[in-house]
Amino acid sequence: MALDIGPIGQLLEPLGTLTFEEAYDIFREEVLAGQDADLIVIETMTDLYETKAALLAAKENSDKPVICTMTFEPNLRTFTGCTVASAAMTLEGLGADAVGVNCSLGPDELFPIVEEMAKWTTLPLVVKPNAGLPDPVTGEYLVDPAEFAQAVVKFAQLGVTVYGGCCGTTPEHIKAAYDLLEEAEIPRRENIEIPAAVCSASEVVLIDQPRIIGERINPTGKKRFKAALQANDMDYILDQAVQQVDAGADLLDVNVGMPGIDEKGMMIRTVKALQSIGGTPLQLDSTIPAVMEAALRVYNGKPIVNSVNGEEASLQNILPLVKKYGAAVVGLTLDENGIPKKAADRFAIAKRILDRATALGIPKQDVYIDCLTLTASAEQDGARETLEALHRVKTELGLKTVLGVSNISFGLPNREAVTRTFLTMALENGLDLPIINPNIASMAEAVRAFRLLRGFDVNCAAFVEAYANMPTATAAATPAAAAKPAAEKAPETLDLPYAMSHGLKNEGAKITAQLLETTDAMEVVNEILIPALDSAGKLFEQGKIFLPQLIQTASVAQAAFEVIKTTLIERNAAPVSRGEIVLATVKGDIHDIGKNIVRVLLENYGYTVLDLGRDVPCQLVADTAKEHGVKLVGLSALMTTTLGAMEETIQLVKQSCPDCKIVVGGAVLTADYAEKIGADFYAKDAMETVAVAKEVVG
């Protein structure tokens, strides 16, 4: 007997208001209630963060095996933007016993998704396809048992060992698949080499070439950053993240440790805030195990832990956390005796860290070694020893390497030249992850040029993209200006569209307040806010950004609208609203995540949304539309069994409000069926609903 656990039905932060901790508590209650089960099945998940909460709840409150399956779209992402690789890496790291895919699509459409997943996990693979998609008129699924079995048996070549069926499948579908699979040869999944990589939910960074770790989210030697920590100034921290990513950082180091603050609380807030504005993977940096575990717990993906060292206390306290949460780890080549002067001794510590990590079950590809950069002005021979140790770790142990490069030049004039030269030397000796300030143009240049010259940057594409619009040497006012990539954006030039595209909510509100001092409110709305939202919508439709980024852009717009409303009230002017819209999930249907996303976007476009919730009586929708005189009603349904209620609701609304238009959406709907039941518009996603609202309401 299996305990089946599905989605909660609410969006987790930052997409919604449910916290990770609240989600964990809900899942924990389910796990404890199902203690008599033989195993736990977590399925039909679209949000990796929610899946992590469920998996942790299962592992920490039960000793039962746990299967995790998520639901993907044809673009190899869930609708929240989670990649197949991110799901596989993260869930295996957290201790799932098997992973895979269920629901959403038929077996043929799921094949490339499972094929991709097989590249990123050593765990047993699970596949439970739908019987295709349903005919909205008849409600019947379109793939019959024989077709289903013929498609499912193809998964055997991928080594899939657990099979089932989801929506539309019957005992006949399962028996037909079973009969064919009994005769199939299923290869054993052995000696699978998973690439060295880390990830957020939406972005995977392969450590297959030098990658930049941005060093600026760290108080060491930074008065302004210390002040931000003391003042809980999250805007400053987020701005540091945005600037580094814009300048070329592939990952971000996050260290908030300083005397006089609650480091654990600040680390949790910082990790959550950084996850709300983008998908750049993080390196979590703390010397306190409790702080590290708190960060690992709320991180959405597979991070790097910075760091463990050769001291016994460090090995005992940190490595078990790395194993439990499935992270990669940086090992520092120091121990109880400090940092050895000689490369051979640092190499020996690196070997000891590797042995202890692998003994705990941490994969070798997840162990990175930092041979430590000493200050050349104090220990000039140290640079040579660091490079020798780095080279040996790379070539003899086969491990990825890390260095905090800027330490080399402390106390010297012209620090930039020294640091840049040492960086280049380290790259040539096998450095994979330089920790640098990418906002210093010459540092990012050195890494990009190395990638180009070593053949990592195929056809020089990334280098050309970064520097094609760079001013020429004669046009630049200074050498530094000539070296600065055009993509960088100085803080003083931040504008509202920039704040929106980077999810800087407080910054967007401040800029809006400043604009209203000289610009009419409706001009701000129509000339700045709406075009910026439209631009994000186009990027979403093109697959260049995903739901989290779209929602965060919209959330900045909402903060701007709130400033506009408050300002107009203070000036005794009418608050800005583009009009009222009624939304509801129809009677009998309790699925409302899609409808909730539509609500968020509409509100952030400036519409007032009357959200009636889910399982809404047909007459209530019609009465509300009439009472408020709305021009548009939006209806959602996920199940074919509730399409009758949708049709009845449409008829009642049309009778009560003949001039009101109706837009419908949901996984079981098509444009043809929407027209058949009397809807005026069909929207395949939230952005299409916004387009309808702009056409109908204005």
Side-chain angles (χ1 to χ4, degrees):
M1 180 175 65
L3 171 64
D4 187 88
I5 294 178
I8 293 169
Q10 298 181 53
L11 292 169
L12 267 68
E13 56 187 2
L15 297 177
T17 58
L18 188 69
T19 68
F20 179 82
E21 294 82 1
E22 289 169 337
Y24 174 88
D25 289 341
I26 291 169
F27 288 123
R28 178 178 179 274
E29 185 176 350
E30 292 185 61
V31 170
L32 293 176
Q35 291 184 62
D36 293 337
D38 299 302
L39 74 156
I40 297 171
V41 177
I42 299 168
E43 64 177 356
T44 324
M45 294 297 209
T46 58
D47 183 353
L48 183 60
Y49 211 26
E50 184 177 15
T51 315
K52 176 176 179 175
L55 182 53
L56 280 177
K59 285 293 179 179
E60 292 177 349
N61 298 282
S62 169
D63 60 358
K64 308 293 193 299
V66 184
I67 294 173
C68 290
T69 59
M70 297 189 71
T71 298
F72 291 88
E73 305 294 328
N75 64 356
L76 275 65
R77 290 179 181 264
T78 70
F79 91 92
T80 61
C82 174
T83 72
V84 173
S86 294
M89 280 193 291
T90 302
L91 298 176
E92 177 167 354
L94 290 168
D97 296 283
V99 295
V101 183
N102 80 290
C103 201
S104 185
L105 302 166
D108 286 336
E109 292 81 9
L110 284 187
F111 189 87
I113 295 169
V114 179
E115 185 177 36
E116 174 71 5
M117 186 167 283
K119 301 173 184 176
W120 291 97
T121 180
T122 63
L123 294 177
L125 291 170
V126 182
V127 60
K128 296 186 287 183
N130 290 346
L133 294 175
D135 183 329
V137 177
T138 65
E140 295 181 0
Y141 283 76
L142 303 178
V143 177
D144 66 29
E147 293 173 312
F148 182 82
Q150 289 291 342
V152 163
V153 77
K154 297 175 185 175
F155 288 98
Q157 65 187 269
L158 301 177
V160 174
T161 51
V162 182
Y163 296 84
C166 204
C167 300
T169 57
T170 65
E172 289 73 25
H173 285 83
I174 303 304
K175 185 179 187 308
Y178 177 83
D179 290 343
L180 285 184
L181 285 165
E182 264 202 316
E183 303 170 4
E185 288 189 18
I186 300 178
R188 295 178 62 87
R189 302 187 70 241
E190 296 178 319
N191 302 318
I192 301 165
E193 294 187 8
I194 307 300
V198 293
C199 68
S200 64
S202 61
E203 184 175 335
V204 174
V205 174
L206 276 166
I207 317 301
D208 58 348
Q209 59 182 283
R211 303 291 188 184
I212 295 172
I213 300 178
E215 68 180 10
R216 297 297 298 167
I217 304 177
N218 188 318
T220 303
K222 304 179 184 71
K223 291 182 180 179
R224 178 65 185 89
F225 195 92
K226 290 179 180 178
L229 291 178
Q230 290 171 333
N232 195 27
D233 183 359
M234 199 57 65
D235 280 356
Y236 179 81
I237 297 173
L238 295 182
D239 187 53
Q240 290 297 303
V242 167
Q243 289 189 49
Q244 290 185 96
V245 173
D246 283 355
D250 300 293
L251 305 102
L252 296 173
D253 186 75
V254 181
N255 184 323
V256 295
M258 63 173 286
I261 69 165
D262 173 12
E263 183 179 346
K264 179 179 174 181
M266 178 58 77
M267 177 64 94
I268 292 171
R269 290 193 296 275
T270 301
V271 170
K272 288 184 175 183
L274 289 168
Q275 290 180 163
S276 77
I277 65 166
T280 303
L282 304 181
Q283 175 173 274
L284 306 173
D285 189 351
S286 177
T287 60
I288 303 173
V291 173
M292 183 60 71
E293 180 160 25
L296 285 166
R297 199 165 186 81
V298 299
Y299 182 76
N300 190 10
K302 175 184 175 180
I304 301 174
V305 166
N306 186 18
S307 54
V308 71
N309 61 56
E311 295 181 20
E312 188 59 33
S314 178
L315 294 168
Q316 289 184 2
N317 291 329
I318 301 300
L319 286 181
L321 295 178
V322 174
K323 172 59 179 173
K324 176 180 178 179
Y325 291 98
V329 62
V330 174
L332 305 178
T333 55
L334 62 85
D335 58 15
E336 291 84 352
N337 299 314
I339 302 173
K341 291 186 178 297
K342 295 298 182 181
D345 296 323
R346 294 190 214 178
F347 178 85
I349 295 174
K351 179 68 166 59
R352 186 160 76 245
I353 292 171
L354 173 62
D355 290 343
R356 290 289 290 272
T358 54
L360 275 176
I362 298 170
K364 178 180 177 181
Q365 71 266 18
D366 288 339
V367 180
Y368 312 155
I369 296 296
D370 186 339
C371 293
L372 299 170
T373 305
L374 302 179
T375 304
S377 59
E379 298 187 56
Q380 197 166 356
D381 290 343
R384 182 179 62 252
E385 297 296 332
T386 295
L387 295 175
E388 181 182 338
L390 186 154
H391 182 75
R392 289 192 62 189
V393 166
K394 181 77 172 183
T395 56
E396 296 177 36
L397 297 181
L399 299 180
K400 303 300 181 183
T401 58
V402 183
L403 274 182
V405 177
S406 61
N407 292 344
I408 194 71
S409 61
F410 281 143
L412 291 172
N414 197 7
R415 287 192 60 190
E416 186 175 329
V418 176
T419 304
R420 182 181 65 248
T421 303
F422 180 71
L423 169 61
T424 304
M425 295 169 70
L427 290 169
E428 188 59 26
N429 278 277
L431 176 59
D432 298 289
L433 293 166
I435 304 175
I436 61 175
N437 179 2
N439 298 106
I440 299 175
S442 64
M443 298 298 114
E445 285 173 359
V447 176
R448 290 189 177 109
F450 182 85
R451 291 171 182 162
L452 183 155
L453 295 171
R454 275 294 182 185
F456 297 115
D457 183 1
V458 178
N459 297 324
C460 312
F463 192 88
V464 171
E465 181 181 0
Y467 299 108
N469 297 320
M470 186 180 73
T472 62
T474 54
T478 66
K484 187 174 183 178
E488 282 192 45
K489 192 176 185 77
E492 62 270 16
T493 66
L494 295 184
D495 54 18
L496 188 51
Y498 182 86
M500 291 172 67
S501 65
H502 289 81
L504 301 175
K505 186 182 296 185
N506 293 335
E507 192 71 38
K510 291 176 185 177
I511 294 170
T512 302
Q514 294 168 358
L515 284 170
L516 291 175
E517 294 175 4
T518 57
T519 309
D520 179 74
M522 292 311 300
E523 184 177 341
V524 174
V525 171
N526 293 324
E527 301 299 326
I528 302 176
L529 283 174
I530 301 305
L533 283 167
D534 289 343
S535 176
K538 289 177 182 176
L539 292 174
F540 175 74
E541 290 169 357
Q542 295 166 1
K544 295 180 179 178
I545 65 171
F546 302 95
L547 188 61
Q549 291 79 24
L550 180 64
I551 293 292
Q552 288 311 307
T553 299
S555 73
V556 180
Q558 187 173 38
F561 271 112
E562 289 302 318
V563 171
I564 292 170
K565 291 176 184 177
T566 301
T567 302
L568 290 177
I569 290 171
E570 291 172 352
R571 296 175 183 175
N572 295 317
V576 173
S577 173
R578 303 184 73 187
E580 292 184 327
I581 299 172
V582 171
L583 289 184
T585 300
V586 298
K587 181 65 179 174
D589 203 318
I590 61 170
H591 302 86
D592 65 350
I593 287 182
K595 184 262 298 173
N596 291 341
I597 293 169
V598 171
R599 184 195 67 221
V600 169
L601 287 182
L602 287 172
E603 287 176 341
N604 295 336
Y605 263 82
Y607 298 101
T608 300
V609 177
L610 307 173
D611 185 353
L612 302 182
R614 56 188 179 181
D615 190 19
V616 180
C618 307
Q619 190 63 52
L620 178 59
V621 179
D623 292 345
T624 305
K626 183 176 181 180
E627 178 185 349
H628 290 268
V630 300
K631 296 180 180 179
L632 182 65
V633 169
L635 301 176
S636 172
L638 186 66
M639 301 184 297
T640 55
T641 54
T642 60
L643 290 177
M646 178 175 277
E647 183 173 8
E648 182 181 347
T649 303
I650 292 171
Q651 291 172 355
L652 288 174
V653 171
K654 293 289 188 182
Q655 292 169 10
S656 299
C657 313
D659 296 331
C660 181
K661 302 298 183 183
I662 299 173
V663 57
V664 298
V668 296
L669 282 164
T670 64
D672 289 342
Y673 190 73
E675 182 179 1
K676 180 178 182 296
I677 61 177
D680 299 289
F681 301 95
Y682 164 73
K684 65 179 177 63
D685 57 32
M687 280 308 303
E688 285 201 1
T689 308
V690 171
V692 170
K694 290 164 70 175
E695 178 181 340
V696 174
V697 183

